[in-house]
Amino acid sequence: VCSSDLVAVRAFLDGRIALPDIASTIGAAMKKHISVAADDIQTVLAADAAARDSAEAFIATRVTAKAAQELV
């Protein structure tokens, strides 16, 4: 959750998403998350990377949708 929050807040501060999109981004990342035991650092780092990737992918869809709306 923390990793997706960091990605979402950075996107907000960069003007890529709106404030309400922070919660949506975190929610999208949480829906894709698969819980596993954090037995070692590699597992934790993999979960961190997956959360960041999920957040970035969700933000990309929001940015693309916003750009499409501006063309109309």
Side-chain angles (χ1 to χ4, degrees):
V1 173
C2 184
S3 299
S4 59
D5 178 56
L6 293 172
V7 170
V9 170
R10 173 53 48 202
F12 168 71
L13 294 174
D14 290 345
R16 294 172 48 212
I17 61 173
L19 182 61
D21 291 330
I22 293 174
S24 300
T25 301
I26 295 166
M30 289 180 67
K31 285 181 183 177
K32 290 190 173 192
H33 177 71
I34 299 169
S35 293
V36 295
D39 295 330
D40 54 48
I41 190 65
Q42 289 81 14
T43 303
V44 174
L45 293 175
D48 178 85
R52 289 174 187 272
D53 291 346
S54 293
E56 286 292 353
F58 181 79
I59 290 166
T61 65
R62 302 298 265 194
V63 171
T64 302
K66 181 180 174 185
Q69 287 179 338
E70 290 174 359
L71 292 175
V72 174

